[in-house]
Amino acid sequence: MRELTYAEAIREALSEEMRRDDSVVFLGEDIGVYGGAFGVSRGMLEEFGPVRVRDTPISETAIVGCGVGAAMSGLRPVVEIMFSDFVAVAMDQIVNQAAKARFQFGGQFSVPMVIRTPSGSGTGAAEQHSQSLEAWFVHTPGIKVVTPSTPADAKGMLTTAIRDPNPVLFLEQKLLYRVKGEVPEGEYTIPFGKASVRREGRDVAVITYGRMVQRCLEAADAVAREGIEAEVVDLRSLAPLDRDAIVASAKKCGRVLIVHEACTTGGVGGEIAAIIADSEAFFWLDAPIRRLGGLDSPIPYNRTLEDTVVPRTAGIADALRGLARKGASWPRA
Amino acid sequence: MRELTYAEAIREALSEEMRRDDSVVFLGEDIGVYGGAFGVSRGMLEEFGPVRVRDTPISETAIVGCGVGAAMSGLRPVVEIMFSDFVAVAMDQIVNQAAKARFQFGGQFSVPMVIRTPSGSGTGAAEQHSQSLEAWFVHTPGIKVVTPSTPADAKGMLTTAIRDPNPVLFLEQKLLYRVKGEVPEGEYTIPFGKASVRREGRDVAVITYGRMVQRCLEAADAVAREGIEAEVVDLRSLAPLDRDAIVASAKKCGRVLIVHEACTTGGVGGEIAAIIADSEAFFWLDAPIRRLGGLDSPIPYNRTLEDTVVPRTAGIADALRGLARKGASWPRA
Amino acid sequence: MGIPAAKLKELFLKMSQTRHFEETAARLFTEGKVHGTAHFCIGEEATGVGVCSALAPEDLIAQTHRGHNQAIGKGMRLDRMMAEFLGKETGYCHGRGGCMHIADSSVGSLGANGIVGGGIPIAVGAAFAQQYRKLDAITVCFFGDGATNEGAFHEALNLASVWKLPILFVCVNNYYAMSTPLNRHMNISDIAVRAQSYGIRGKSLDGNDVISVYEATLEAKEYVRREGPMLLVLNTYRYMGHSKSDPQNYRTKEEVESWKKRDPLVLFRDRLLRDGICSAEELDALDGQALRDVAAAVEYAESSPEPRTDEVLRDVLAE
Amino acid sequence: MGIPAAKLKELFLKMSQTRHFEETAARLFTEGKVHGTAHFCIGEEATGVGVCSALAPEDLIAQTHRGHNQAIGKGMRLDRMMAEFLGKETGYCHGRGGCMHIADSSVGSLGANGIVGGGIPIAVGAAFAQQYRKLDAITVCFFGDGATNEGAFHEALNLASVWKLPILFVCVNNYYAMSTPLNRHMNISDIAVRAQSYGIRGKSLDGNDVISVYEATLEAKEYVRREGPMLLVLNTYRYMGHSKSDPQNYRTKEEVESWKKRDPLVLFRDRLLRDGICSAEELDALDGQALRDVAAAVEYAESSPEPRTDEVLRDVLAE
Ligand SMILES: Cc1ncc(C[n+]2csc(CCOP(=O)(O)OP(=O)(O)O)c2C)c(N)n1
Ligand SMILES: Cc1ncc(C[n+]2csc(CCOP(=O)(O)OP(=O)(O)O)c2C)c(N)n1
Ligand SMILES: [Mg+2]
Ligand SMILES: [Mg+2]
């Protein structure tokens, strides 16, 4: 199959949907001639013109709010927020408006809007341009949250997102934009709420998503040489969350490592741990549930410091070794 | 000891600090002659005058931002946001500015600002005036989060908050404003990060905070008549979180129920469950860790519906019974 | 005055309905029949009714928390409004929203908003959809004087201007944001000045004179369709407290009384009599009808079923 | 021109330092020595240098992401700036912030901000503290043309006006917000018009003429101290891309070249020569000094230690 980068896959999905459905419009800062801060929409202005590919002033509240109103009026806006950190500027429109409009108006309106935004650290862009904020929205009823980890998923899940009648926060993994992978031609959708087991194993269940999937797979390969077989589950969407896949993998392996880039405390990892600890998998656990998230710190500028605050392959491998080690469990017995 | 309402206790703490330290200033919408939407600051304009008790325009971003700048310049602003839902309007200033200023400037500034705001449902004020949003901020390094459940705590913890060199989100429990309790006279502080065991027990550890503390105590009383002794732990502050108290109580009881008003998914309950499941308490658990949070729904207007979406005493008692029931655990063995 | 008599009577009826609706709602509060809050627009009836009565069914409105006049002006049903106020399943939002979130997509209401200024960007989005679809309709966005200090106001007006959207921004200036008087929340006295920041037209007028409001809206509608956004400021006054729990210690009784001398309903009644459009009997009959409509709405609402608790999660997400 | 010769030379030196600092920083980028991004102000030197050189040490500034001229104008050290750019422990923020978050509390800089418009409310808070403490000092808040479309701008200017705070708002208008030209992000051509919404004074001037910028600031400072906020718009142009990764496909080379004909450094040099303030040799000497200062800064930065990873959590919270 042909290969595309993650960024190209996103552009392809958005372009296909815009060709298919003229109610799809695309709004954001510098998405037109500039092609977006990360070049995702390069060439789209030329194909779709300035009426459908709309540069906006720097006004995140108005941009998202405009998306909400347009969606309530029957369009399917795709809104780009240049860095996911800037969702904070539009938080009211996302949480109090988009996510609540349907419910508070008794189902009279739906809000089929997608907010696309690049998430995560690793580019030396420091505290205000590097956060992983998915947990806020997983805690917000009324909005879906998606974190594709491959070009193929990025394409299929963006298509799903655009066709979804609800607001969807589509968190693009900044450091994956240039990563290549096989991507089917033509339109296809990937359902939300279905995790993908990226690697089968029986010793430790690694539950992860987004850019950390790759690092978990690398760590799993590293420890496989030592006889530890980790299973790597890529959640793909965080709301809805694939509870069954989480529980099944935890039950199968009896040991669980949860990995994400976002700060550990209050992160989605807590939700995952809680699901397992309150499920039938609990009875099959052979060791405490381990979380390996980012340090509870803003993202620093200096490259080495920046690397220090998010989980690295070596750290994940160490955690796997610690979990798999015999005797780690049941000192009580 | 004399009794004060929760609202009076807050007013007393703020007034005492303003008398003691003239760098404490108080900003917010309608806090002056109106006395605040919930009457918390009634009479303060008269005592402290309009220079220190400042009504603002309806501009949450500017209000919080002004607090950040004033704090960076050596004042100790206390900022009121009329309903905690409106933090969404000021999210950038809270998360990207207040919580990061110290770190990103390499420690050159501190931000001794308190954001006081009423949190929670129960007043029929519907979707945009009833949320419990503490989880967002527990996931934000650089800001502390406090949820006092009694008048005495409200006073002592607000004093601590005002004296703290960091931004503190002080989440007042709307439905507790009129609840009375004993409150010591004069200044005192209550440290953050120290939970309080409100009721001792040995069968089930109930970990909770804020307004749910009262309901958990009621539920504990109800099941005590049936021979179930629940221990009720009031976390008091969520960032920092009293990890030791959580683990100790879980270890002691072997069964854990986590209760909060906020939506279950992505809530602070996940963090608590994850802490337990990754601690030595894990080895002492006799049953899965149960969470009882609000339904994953916006808060509806209708009173009965509103009551339906947050945990009630009867539901908490049922969960306690379910957890304590013999045979509920270890079907695997 | 080239307004047809039927339209004038419609304006009078809607204003009376608004006044009676709110007086009744306030009474239901006092009787403890309502859990929640409400923001009444008594004294401001001419604004929402005047503007919305000048619109076509396909025009859209975005309402405020103080918007019963806007809702009734646009043709919403009193019975379903009252049912929503009482939190009933037959209410517009099936009891989920209450009067702070009243909406009726069938008459072009995008709903009221509980976040001050929060509805302004949404209205811009609706106008964007109208422009994109090349519709002839416009969107009218209501907000208060206090709301013009929110960042959302600024961003939304600028965006609408840059894109030349068919939107009429209507500021209902009642000189107070809760307890804070205009001159303590902004440093200008004519809010229409704010239009200049966006290069759009701004105009202020007497919001208690329903005829000028109606006529200004008709004119503005044509302008907006051709030229893009405009800001209309309607100066008026609210008689009641900000919400049910307002001590009203921030203004004098005299100030309130002086505004009551220019009561929009009385002004309009006098005008209709003076111009010989209606007789006193006709006006009394319209008022009586309004009263009966409200009574029927209460009956409908009170006899309506409560929402079912097992359906509470119904509209969190669309299928 | 009543400006002392020493001051004029200081202005020239700081502008040269800014230019050389950024040209050198850009080269370090190309050499792969920097991880991250940077926003250069080459072409805009007269704005930040002109304004900040008119301030007293106790006056405060809030900077933008494009603020090396502001930093150098206010007296920040080149070596610690360069060290921050390279992420070193000796940098102003100990390598935590990079040049988007450069700050120096010792010279009155409240820091640069990575959120467009995010620093404006913070500057208002600093001015509030000055007023509250009855200090004589003022706060100067920098932002770009694009930033004036953020809600934060609007709220902050309104609040400052209502409270009559001693703050000078300085809009560095370089006619672009990233790739978006002014006439496509707002519908007015003179940004100073926006002052009217807040009932404050607004004034636009040539931002490439450092002498008018300096003099206007001196005057504005007195005004602001007495009367409260003012908005000063400095019209200028950036030569380089928005940030390191800018394709610059949104403007023509001719446009850039035409602005270069009014280069602020050349303009100022010509003026100094024409007015007989400095000889060509003196100016060359100042420029040479600037070059040496920057070279020394690079040496300092390159030889400085990296931050220790075990101290990364040091400043998350104050003790
Ligand atoms: C973002 C936000 N801030 C504050 C409030 C609380 N609040 C509700 S209405 C109101 C006053 C609004 O004033 P104005 O816009 O003039 O409208 P009015 O109530 O006078 O009709 C306030 C402060 C809110 N609902 N939302
Ligand atoms: C809230 C927010 N939105 C968008 C950005 C991305 N961004 C950084 S600088 C910039 C352009 C700013 O334009 P202007 O204010 O004119 O300043 P200039 O860059 O021209 O100096 C943009 C869009 C940001 N950093 N913050
Ligand atoms: Mg008002
Ligand atoms: Mg610019």
Side-chain angles (χ1 to χ4, degrees):
Chain A
M1 208 187 288
R2 78 197 168 136
E3 295 208 324
L4 293 183
T5 66
Y6 188 89
E8 287 163 350
I10 291 167
R11 186 188 310 143
E12 186 164 282
L14 183 49
S15 299
E16 283 175 6
E17 288 305 291
M18 288 184 75
R19 280 175 215 131
R20 202 181 65 89
D21 178 356
D22 71 11
S23 68
V24 179
V25 291
F26 179 32
L27 323 173
E29 293 162 14
D30 305 289
I31 59 170
V33 58
Y34 198 91
F38 293 91
V40 172
S41 54
R42 219 164 272 159
M44 289 187 64
L45 175 68
E46 289 74 1
E47 177 173 355
F48 299 102
V51 170
R52 295 185 72 194
V53 175
R54 293 225 168 196
D55 277 340
T56 64
I58 314 180
S59 308
E60 286 77 10
T61 297
I63 298 168
V64 175
C66 179
V68 177
M72 287 172 70
S73 308
L75 299 188
R76 292 190 171 267
V78 175
V79 158
E80 176 170 311
I81 295 293
M82 197 183 284
F83 283 77
S84 78
D85 311 68
F86 311 157
V87 297
V89 185
M91 198 68 181
D92 175 60
Q93 288 296 327
I94 302 174
V95 166
N96 290 333
Q97 312 297 343
K100 295 189 174 45
R102 182 176 183 82
F103 187 90
Q104 76 189 3
F105 298 134
Q108 293 185 72
F109 298 95
S110 54
V111 184
M113 170 179 64
V114 179
I115 302 174
R116 288 184 41 235
T117 190
S119 166
S121 65
T123 66
E127 291 78 0
Q128 297 171 334
H129 287 72
S130 306
Q131 293 166 89
S132 298
L133 300 172
E134 57 273 13
W136 295 351
F137 304 96
V138 169
H139 189 49
T140 303
I143 187 165
K144 299 186 176 180
V145 182
V146 185
T147 52
S149 73
T150 67
D153 274 11
K155 180 175 170 187
M157 297 184 88
L158 183 55
T159 305
T160 306
I162 294 171
R163 298 183 190 179
D164 197 289
N166 297 290
V168 178
L169 182 65
F170 191 84
L171 290 167
E172 301 176 2
Q173 309 292 301
K174 209 179 287 169
L175 278 210
L176 298 182
Y177 275 135
R178 298 183 192 179
V179 169
K180 287 199 162 189
E182 295 195 339
V183 176
E185 315 244 3
E187 296 166 17
Y188 63 95
T189 58
I190 293 180
F192 297 163
K194 293 276 166 238
S196 167
V197 177
R198 300 288 180 193
R199 182 187 206 283
E200 302 258 2
R202 58 188 147 63
D203 298 327
V204 184
V206 183
I207 318 287
T208 188
Y209 58 90
R211 145 160 111 100
M212 288 296 132
V213 171
Q214 196 50 44
R215 292 195 174 175
C216 290
L217 289 170
E218 285 161 21
D221 282 348
V223 299
R225 282 175 237 128
E226 301 155 30
I228 302 169
E229 287 301 329
E231 172 151 304
V232 178
V233 179
D234 175 1
L235 293 169
R236 300 160 113 198
S237 78
L238 302 179
L241 196 56
D242 190 346
R243 191 186 172 286
D244 292 346
I246 294 169
V247 171
S249 188
K251 200 166 155 183
K252 172 178 170 193
C253 300
R255 291 159 202 262
V256 179
L257 176 65
I258 301 163
V259 181
H260 57 57
E261 178 175 349
C263 303
T264 304
T265 298
V268 174
E271 181 61 29
I272 298 165
I275 286 173
I276 296 168
D278 193 14
S279 73
E280 71 267 26
F282 172 81
F283 301 105
W284 299 88
L285 290 178
D286 294 318
I289 302 169
R290 282 239 33 214
R291 277 186 301 168
L292 187 63
L295 297 188
D296 290 328
S297 163
I299 304 290
Y301 170 73
N302 173 282
R303 179 176 222 153
T304 315
L305 293 186
E306 186 180 24
D307 280 350
T308 303
V309 299
V310 300
R312 279 164 296 177
T313 304
I316 300 168
D318 279 348
L320 287 172
R321 290 185 194 103
L323 262 172
R325 203 178 304 132
K326 294 205 177 55
S329 55
W330 302 121
R332 180 196 190 181
Chain B
M1 209 187 284
R2 67 168 180 166
E3 294 209 325
L4 293 183
T5 65
Y6 188 89
E8 287 163 349
I10 290 167
R11 185 188 311 142
E12 187 164 282
L14 183 49
S15 300
E16 283 175 4
E17 288 305 290
M18 288 183 75
R19 279 174 216 130
R20 202 181 65 88
D21 178 356
D22 71 11
S23 68
V24 179
V25 292
F26 179 31
L27 323 174
E29 293 162 14
D30 306 288
I31 59 170
V33 59
Y34 198 92
F38 293 91
V40 171
S41 54
R42 220 164 270 158
M44 288 186 64
L45 176 68
E46 289 74 1
E47 177 173 357
F48 299 102
V51 171
R52 295 185 72 192
V53 175
R54 293 228 166 192
D55 277 339
T56 64
I58 315 180
S59 309
E60 285 78 8
T61 297
I63 298 169
V64 176
C66 178
V68 177
M72 286 172 70
S73 309
L75 299 188
R76 292 190 171 267
V78 175
V79 158
E80 176 170 312
I81 295 291
M82 198 184 282
F83 283 78
S84 77
D85 312 67
F86 311 158
V87 297
V89 185
M91 199 68 181
D92 174 60
Q93 287 296 327
I94 302 174
V95 166
N96 290 333
Q97 311 297 342
K100 294 191 174 44
R102 182 176 182 80
F103 187 89
Q104 76 189 2
F105 298 133
Q108 292 185 70
F109 299 96
S110 53
V111 184
M113 170 179 64
V114 179
I115 302 174
R116 286 184 42 237
T117 190
S119 167
S121 65
T123 66
E127 291 79 1
Q128 296 171 335
H129 288 72
S130 305
Q131 294 166 88
S132 298
L133 300 172
E134 58 273 13
W136 294 353
F137 303 96
V138 170
H139 189 48
T140 303
I143 187 165
K144 299 185 176 181
V145 182
V146 186
T147 53
S149 73
T150 68
D153 274 12
K155 179 173 171 187
M157 296 183 89
L158 182 55
T159 305
T160 306
I162 294 172
R163 299 182 190 179
D164 197 287
N166 297 290
V168 178
L169 182 66
F170 192 84
L171 290 167
E172 301 176 2
Q173 309 292 301
K174 211 180 283 170
L175 278 210
L176 298 181
Y177 276 135
R178 297 183 192 181
V179 170
K180 287 199 163 189
E182 296 194 338
V183 177
E185 316 243 3
E187 295 165 19
Y188 62 94
T189 58
I190 293 181
F192 297 163
K194 292 273 166 240
S196 166
V197 177
R198 300 288 181 194
R199 183 188 205 284
E200 301 259 1
R202 59 187 146 63
D203 298 328
V204 185
V206 184
I207 318 288
T208 188
Y209 58 90
R211 146 160 110 101
M212 288 296 132
V213 171
Q214 196 51 44
R215 293 195 173 174
C216 290
L217 288 169
E218 285 160 23
D221 282 348
V223 299
R225 283 175 236 125
E226 301 155 30
I228 302 169
E229 288 302 330
E231 172 150 305
V232 178
V233 179
D234 175 0
L235 293 169
R236 300 159 115 198
S237 77
L238 303 178
L241 197 56
D242 190 346
R243 191 186 172 283
D244 292 346
I246 295 169
V247 171
S249 188
K251 200 166 156 182
K252 171 178 170 192
C253 300
R255 291 160 201 262
V256 180
L257 176 65
I258 301 163
V259 181
H260 57 58
E261 178 175 349
C263 302
T264 305
T265 298
V268 175
E271 181 61 30
I272 298 165
I275 286 172
I276 296 168
D278 192 15
S279 73
E280 71 266 27
F282 171 81
F283 301 105
W284 299 86
L285 291 177
D286 294 319
I289 302 169
R290 283 239 33 216
R291 278 187 301 168
L292 187 63
L295 297 188
D296 291 326
S297 163
I299 304 291
Y301 170 73
N302 173 281
R303 180 176 221 151
T304 316
L305 294 185
E306 186 179 24
D307 280 350
T308 303
V309 299
V310 300
R312 279 165 296 178
T313 303
I316 300 168
D318 279 347
L320 287 171
R321 289 185 195 101
L323 260 173
R325 203 178 304 133
K326 296 203 177 55
S329 55
W330 302 119
R332 180 196 190 181
Chain C
M1 187 164 78
I3 310 174
K7 190 50 127 180
L8 293 168
K9 287 179 191 164
E10 177 196 326
L11 289 169
F12 187 81
L13 177 65
K14 285 174 170 176
M15 285 170 68
S16 300
Q17 286 174 329
T18 304
R19 172 102 18 134
H20 292 306
F21 183 92
E22 293 206 336
E23 284 176 350
T24 306
R27 181 169 46 73
L28 293 173
F29 253 129
T30 325
E31 293 170 1
K33 290 193 177 152
V34 190
H35 176 63
T37 191
H39 304 86
F40 296 126
C41 67
I42 296 180
E44 308 178 359
E45 292 89 345
T47 61
V49 169
V51 169
C52 294
S53 302
L55 303 180
E58 56 277 16
D59 293 326
L60 300 173
I61 63 166
Q63 297 169 226
T64 64
H65 57 286
R66 200 180 303 289
H68 292 133
N69 53 352
Q70 301 147 14
I72 292 172
K74 196 69 174 68
M76 284 175 70
R77 288 171 48 174
L78 300 186
D79 52 359
R80 296 197 61 198
M81 286 174 63
M82 192 60 85
E84 188 58 37
F85 184 56
L86 295 192
K88 297 303 181 75
E89 181 63 30
T90 54
Y92 271 113
C93 311
H94 306 295
R96 268 61 171 181
C99 60
M100 200 150 52
H101 300 297
I102 215 150
D104 182 355
S105 61
S106 75
V107 301
S109 160
L110 295 162
N113 213 300
I115 301 293
V116 168
I120 314 180
I122 296 175
V124 167
F128 168 65
Q130 290 169 326
Q131 181 191 64
Y132 183 78
R133 287 252 163 85
K134 302 197 168 63
L135 304 179
D136 221 22
I138 74 160
T139 298
V140 171
C141 176
F142 289 97
F143 46 82
D145 49 304
T148 70
N149 296 324
E150 285 281 11
F153 162 85
H154 175 71
E155 296 189 10
L157 268 74
N158 186 60
L159 188 67
S161 169
V162 170
W163 289 354
K164 238 186 143 184
L165 300 180
I167 183 164
L168 176 62
F169 296 104
V170 178
C171 178
V172 180
N173 172 29
N174 59 14
Y175 295 96
Y176 284 90
M178 215 156 146
S179 70
T180 312
L182 187 72
N183 64 13
R184 289 192 41 240
H185 70 68
M186 63 176 73
N187 224 345
I188 52 174
S189 50
D190 180 6
I191 299 176
V193 163
R194 294 200 160 169
Q196 298 178 24
S197 282
Y198 318 106
I200 64 174
R201 206 175 133 199
K203 183 175 170 177
S204 289
L205 59 130
D206 178 2
N208 279 13
D209 176 356
V210 71
I211 292 180
S212 11
V213 173
Y214 178 80
E215 288 180 333
T217 308
L218 283 182
E219 195 226 320
K221 206 176 126 170
E222 288 317 306
Y223 175 86
V224 156
R225 253 207 293 248
R226 275 195 327 270
E227 307 287 338
M230 169 171 171
L231 172 62
L232 199 62
V233 179
L234 307 178
N235 298 313
T236 182
Y237 199 78
R238 88 171 133 72
Y239 296 167
M240 303 190 60
H242 165 74
S243 65
K244 67 166 182 178
S245 52
D246 182 348
Q248 293 203 57
N249 54 357
Y250 49 83
R251 61 182 184 183
T252 62
K253 287 222 171 59
E254 292 70 44
E255 183 181 294
V256 181
E257 288 312 313
S258 79
W259 274 92
K260 284 190 177 168
K261 292 197 189 112
R262 294 200 65 255
D263 183 90
L265 274 156
V266 174
L267 278 185
F268 190 33
R269 186 186 173 93
D270 291 351
R271 174 82 184 264
L272 290 172
L273 291 173
R274 184 157 27 89
D275 290 1
I277 312 276
C278 298
S279 65
E281 293 67 37
E282 279 176 298
L283 293 173
D284 290 346
L286 286 170
D287 192 57
Q289 184 191 327
L291 254 177
R292 282 192 306 280
D293 292 344
V294 169
V298 172
E299 200 178 305
Y300 174 86
E302 291 194 325
S303 64
S304 285
E306 290 277 317
R308 294 171 48 137
T309 55
D310 60 353
E311 290 182 349
V312 65
L313 298 180
R314 192 174 56 199
D315 285 313
V316 177
L317 289 168
E319 298 298 298
Chain D
M1 187 166 77
I3 310 175
K7 190 50 127 180
L8 292 168
K9 288 179 191 165
E10 178 196 327
L11 289 169
F12 187 80
L13 177 66
K14 285 174 171 175
M15 285 170 67
S16 301
Q17 286 174 329
T18 303
R19 172 105 14 135
H20 292 307
F21 184 91
E22 294 206 337
E23 282 175 351
T24 305
R27 181 169 46 74
L28 293 173
F29 252 130
T30 325
E31 292 170 3
K33 290 193 176 150
V34 190
H35 177 64
T37 190
H39 303 86
F40 296 127
C41 67
I42 296 179
E44 306 178 0
E45 291 89 345
T47 61
V49 169
V51 169
C52 294
S53 303
L55 302 180
E58 56 278 16
D59 293 326
L60 299 174
I61 63 167
Q63 297 169 224
T64 64
H65 58 285
R66 200 179 303 289
H68 292 133
N69 52 353
Q70 300 147 15
I72 292 171
K74 196 67 173 69
M76 284 174 69
R77 287 170 50 173
L78 301 187
D79 52 359
R80 296 198 61 198
M81 286 173 63
M82 191 61 84
E84 189 57 37
F85 184 57
L86 295 192
K88 297 303 182 77
E89 181 65 30
T90 54
Y92 271 113
C93 310
H94 306 295
R96 268 61 172 181
C99 60
M100 201 149 53
H101 300 296
I102 215 151
D104 182 357
S105 61
S106 74
V107 301
S109 161
L110 295 162
N113 213 300
I115 301 293
V116 168
I120 314 181
I122 297 174
V124 167
F128 168 66
Q130 290 169 327
Q131 182 192 63
Y132 184 78
R133 288 251 163 84
K134 302 196 168 65
L135 303 179
D136 220 22
I138 73 161
T139 298
V140 171
C141 177
F142 290 97
F143 46 83
D145 49 305
T148 70
N149 296 323
E150 286 281 9
F153 162 86
H154 175 71
E155 295 189 10
L157 268 73
N158 187 60
L159 188 66
S161 169
V162 170
W163 289 354
K164 237 187 146 185
L165 301 179
I167 184 163
L168 176 62
F169 295 104
V170 177
C171 178
V172 180
N173 171 28
N174 59 14
Y175 295 96
Y176 284 90
M178 216 154 145
S179 70
T180 312
L182 187 72
N183 63 11
R184 288 191 42 240
H185 70 68
M186 63 176 72
N187 224 346
I188 53 174
S189 50
D190 181 6
I191 299 175
V193 163
R194 295 201 159 168
Q196 298 177 24
S197 282
Y198 317 106
I200 64 173
R201 207 176 132 200
K203 184 176 170 178
S204 289
L205 59 129
D206 178 2
N208 278 13
D209 176 355
V210 71
I211 291 179
S212 13
V213 173
Y214 178 81
E215 288 179 334
T217 308
L218 283 183
E219 196 227 320
K221 203 176 128 171
E222 288 316 308
Y223 175 85
V224 155
R225 253 207 294 249
R226 275 195 328 270
E227 308 287 338
M230 168 172 172
L231 172 61
L232 199 63
V233 179
L234 307 178
N235 298 313
T236 182
Y237 199 78
R238 89 170 133 72
Y239 296 167
M240 303 191 59
H242 166 73
S243 64
K244 67 165 180 176
S245 53
D246 181 348
Q248 294 202 59
N249 54 358
Y250 49 83
R251 61 180 185 183
T252 61
K253 288 225 172 59
E254 292 69 45
E255 183 181 294
V256 182
E257 289 311 314
S258 80
W259 275 92
K260 284 191 176 166
K261 290 195 189 114
R262 294 199 66 255
D263 182 273
L265 273 156
V266 174
L267 278 185
F268 190 32
R269 185 188 174 90
D270 290 351
R271 173 82 184 262
L272 291 173
L273 289 174
R274 183 155 29 89
D275 289 2
I277 312 277
C278 298
S279 64
E281 293 68 37
E282 278 176 299
L283 293 174
D284 290 346
L286 287 171
D287 192 57
Q289 184 192 328
L291 254 178
R292 282 192 306 279
D293 293 344
V294 170
V298 173
E299 198 177 305
Y300 175 86
E302 291 194 325
S303 63
S304 285
E306 291 277 317
R308 294 171 49 134
T309 54
D310 60 354
E311 290 183 348
V312 64
L313 297 179
R314 191 173 57 199
D315 284 312
V316 177
L317 288 168
E319 298 297 298

